[in-house]
Amino acid sequence: DGEGNAKGTPPFASEGLSHRSGGVAFTPNGQYLLVGSSQEGGTLSNVQKYDPVTGVRLGYAIPPGLGVISSTVNTRSFLANGDLVVSVHDSGSSDGGVIAYNMEAGSYERIAENTIYTPWGLAVSPITDNVFVSSYYDNVVYEYANQGGGWSQVDTIGSGILSGPHGLTFSPEGKMYVTSRGTASVVEF
């Protein structure tokens, strides 16, 4: 309210969420508020869709069954075409992959197979539209590009610099910032 007083009671949105809710973001056009919702084991994890004015649940942006890692939903999770990019993982595994989900069509395209060890951070470059995903235990960030015929890994960033990379984002000018948990720092690339 401008005075430092919370306006959040009762909760703005809670229907359909679990106690393990993760990332939150508005769609690029502001039409929906999206919230990642993790469920035990990952098989029921999903992304919920809410009215940004009323907080009323409008259904799934990404339905259960794909193993969405809810913390990867953020404001830098959208491709230029509007697809939502999230990390996914197989139930009972630390390995994960990346998908681009078309919310209108209800379909997805795989960007990276389930070979990334704990893919917790994810962002799309505002300059290149390439997808960057942190691998917590590999201590690097992988870069993927759509080269016309599909997605492929084009770079590995931060080897020897990052320790437990987690969150990442981009400045409007295209600089990438990554949290490095093992060094308690933010690294700029």
Side-chain angles (χ1 to χ4, degrees):
D1 69 0
E3 302 289 321
N5 299 313
K7 296 172 80 175
T9 50
F12 177 72
S14 62
E15 182 184 352
L17 295 178
S18 73
H19 69 282
R20 296 175 64 184
S21 298
V24 60
F26 284 97
T27 53
N29 62 8
Q31 185 176 2
Y32 302 113
L33 174 68
L34 304 179
V35 182
S37 183
S38 291
Q39 304 292 328
E40 196 63 42
T43 56
L44 298 178
S45 297
N46 59 76
V47 178
Q48 300 282 339
K49 181 170 52 177
Y50 296 89
D51 181 289
V53 176
T54 66
V56 171
R57 182 177 179 270
L58 302 173
Y60 294 114
I62 300 179
L66 293 177
V68 171
I69 297 175
S70 65
S71 62
T72 61
V73 176
N74 65 67
T75 56
R76 291 281 186 215
S77 295
F78 295 91
L79 294 172
N81 68 3
D83 286 358
L84 174 61
V85 179
V86 294
S87 294
V88 295
H89 65 88
D90 292 330
S91 180
S93 172
S94 293
D95 290 346
V98 180
I99 63 169
Y101 194 86
N102 182 312
M103 291 183 287
E104 298 296 322
S107 61
Y108 67 92
E109 176 183 16
R110 187 161 293 276
I111 293 173
E113 295 299 326
N114 287 348
T115 57
I116 304 169
Y117 196 31
T118 314
W120 284 356
L122 183 143
V124 176
S125 167
I127 306 300
T128 64
D129 215 31
N130 287 356
V131 173
F132 294 75
V133 60
S134 65
S135 177
Y136 188 80
Y137 290 112
D138 287 337
N139 297 311
V140 295
V141 172
Y142 296 112
E143 178 182 4
Y144 297 88
N146 189 336
Q147 300 180 323
W151 291 88
S152 60
Q153 182 185 330
V154 295
D155 203 359
T156 301
I157 302 161
S159 181
I161 299 168
L162 297 170
S163 176
H166 195 271
L168 60 141
T169 193
F170 282 90
S171 70
E173 300 79 31
K175 288 185 180 180
M176 182 173 62
Y177 298 85
V178 182
T179 59
S180 180
R181 284 187 167 182
T183 60
S185 63
V186 176
V187 181
E188 175 188 84
F189 293 94

